[in-house]
Amino acid sequence: MGKRSVLVQDGSFATPINDGTLPPESRTARFQLLSPELAIPGSPRPAWVHLSGTGDQGYGMRRDVGALLLQQGVSSIVQQVSDMLSLGNATIEETLLMLRWLRAAGFWPLGICGFSMGGVNAVLAAACCREFPVGVVTLCAPYSAV
């Protein structure tokens, strides 16, 4: 398979959690969208939201996984996390916003994936997504966040 042109877009939005529980640096959600530069009109535009595991606060490993998916024409959103322990609810709500945004932008089918605690949050976000079906993949996710 030949090398594809890649579009990397940085984005941000205000977190939907405004109850005063998040530290100031977590009140703006930041992400990167990795996507093939050229989409074929009318063809599926699959995308995955990659959730971070404990200790993966930057884009790091999830961006590497996204790069592998790009080789197959699959887009990825990689969210930057500043404080993993206080962001459980925010991660789920922000993931739902990103999924809605992807769907409105013409991406489909959609999925959520995560490693470790990111896997727990991926399952919870998928369970909360009632507007449309989403795939979910976890790796090394514990049975509970407790």
Side-chain angles (χ1 to χ4, degrees):
M1 178 173 242
K3 205 166 182 105
R4 295 178 181 256
S5 295
V6 175
L7 179 63
V8 178
Q9 293 177 289
D10 290 304
S12 65
F13 58 91
T15 184
I17 305 299
N18 58 5
D19 59 5
T21 59
L22 296 177
E25 63 273 10
S26 298
R27 294 180 190 151
T28 300
R30 291 175 176 75
F31 66 92
Q32 284 188 337
L33 172 64
L34 313 171
S35 63
E37 196 165 33
L38 298 175
I40 300 169
S43 66
R45 295 178 63 199
W48 285 82
V49 177
H50 300 257
L51 302 184
S52 66
T54 306
D56 184 21
Q57 276 78 21
Y59 295 126
M61 180 176 60
R62 292 167 292 129
R63 210 170 117 156
D64 293 342
V65 172
L68 292 172
L69 290 173
L70 277 170
Q71 295 174 12
Q72 302 302 315
V74 177
S75 297
S76 296
I77 280 190
V78 181
Q79 183 181 11
Q80 182 179 7
V81 177
S82 59
D83 183 357
M84 186 65 176
L85 295 178
S86 67
L87 294 179
N89 187 38
T91 299
I92 294 163
E93 294 297 329
E94 291 168 4
T95 299
L96 294 172
L97 280 176
M98 289 186 281
L99 288 169
R100 290 181 195 116
W101 179 81
L102 285 166
R103 179 106 191 244
F107 290 91
W108 188 258
L110 301 175
I112 313 166
C113 59
F115 177 82
S116 186
M117 191 61 192
V120 172
N121 286 332
V123 169
L124 292 171
C128 292
C129 186
R130 304 205 186 263
E131 296 107 294
F132 46 84
V134 296
V136 63
V137 174
T138 68
L139 182 62
C140 298
Y143 296 114
S144 168
V146 179

